[in-house]
Amino acid sequence: MNSCVFCAIVRGDAPAVRVYEDDDVLAFLDIRPIARGHTLVVPRVHAPRLDDLDPGHGAALFRAGQRIARGVQRSDLAADGANLVFNDGRSAFQTVFHAHLHVLPRRRGDKLRLAAGLLRRRPHDPEATGAAIRAGLARLEAEDAL
C-alpha cells in the first residue's frame, strides 16, 4: 500500500529510528512517544486492522514486542516494566491503519495514565533512546547465549 506511512518505513522510503527487525516485523521509535523508549512493532506486510492480520504475523508482533520490552528493561532507560498495547480501530485510538503493537516502557512512580498520556506526546532524544534500546537488546542476546 503506497499511502501507508508504516509501509514506507518498512520499505526504507520514510525515516525512522529502527530498534529491531527480522523477516516478519520491524520495530522503530514512535515519533510522538508517550514515554521514553515508546516503540512501535509493525508487520512487514500491510494489514490495516487486527481482523486483517494473519495469526502468524500477529504472533511475530507479540514475540518481538516481548523481546523489546525485555531489552528495554536491560537498557539504560531505567524501565522496570512495560505495557504492550494494540489499538484496533478508531474507537480504540488507532490513527495509522497498519496493524501495530505499542511497547511502552514503564518506570516505578512514572504516573503515566494511558488515556492522559495520549495527550502529551513528544520525542525524547530519539537517536540516544534508540541506541539505548538496541544496547539492551544486545545485552539480552548475550544473556540468552549463556
Side-chain angles (χ1 to χ4, degrees), residues 54-66:
D54 174 270
H57 291 130
L61 281 182
F62 276 88
R63 272 194 305 273
Q66 178 187 26

Side-chain angles (χ1 to χ4, degrees), residues 6-138:
F6 289 173
C7 286
I9 290 170
V10 167
R11 287 191 310 268
D13 296 339
V17 177
R18 295 169 179 239
V19 298
Y20 175 81
E21 55 188 298
D22 62 28
D23 292 341
D24 299 312
V25 302
L26 172 66
F28 51 90
L29 293 182
D30 192 306
I31 61 169
R32 292 179 32 224
I34 292 173
R36 186 169 185 210
H38 180 174
T39 301
L40 302 178
V41 185
V42 304
R44 289 187 177 274
V45 297
H46 184 78
R49 301 216 17 218
L50 189 57
D51 203 36
D52 307 304
L53 187 62
D54 174 270
H57 291 130
L61 281 182
F62 276 88
R63 272 194 305 273
Q66 178 187 26
R67 185 155 193 83
I68 291 163
R70 292 175 63 214
V72 165
Q73 292 178 52
R74 285 158 178 81
S75 76
D76 295 331
L77 297 180
D80 56 10
N83 289 113
L84 300 182
V85 179
F86 192 105
N87 300 332
D88 185 39
R90 289 191 196 285
S91 62
F93 305 112
Q94 184 178 6
T95 57
V96 176
F97 285 84
H98 181 122
H100 57 285
L101 179 68
H102 295 259
V103 180
L104 299 167
R106 300 302 303 265
R107 293 150 189 90
R108 190 175 345 275
D110 65 14
K111 301 192 185 352
L112 174 66
R113 292 189 334 227
L114 291 182
L118 292 173
L119 304 177
R120 295 186 298 270
R121 297 174 72 172
R122 57 195 171 281
H124 302 278
D125 191 2
E127 292 300 329
T129 300
I133 293 170
R134 288 187 294 273
L137 287 168

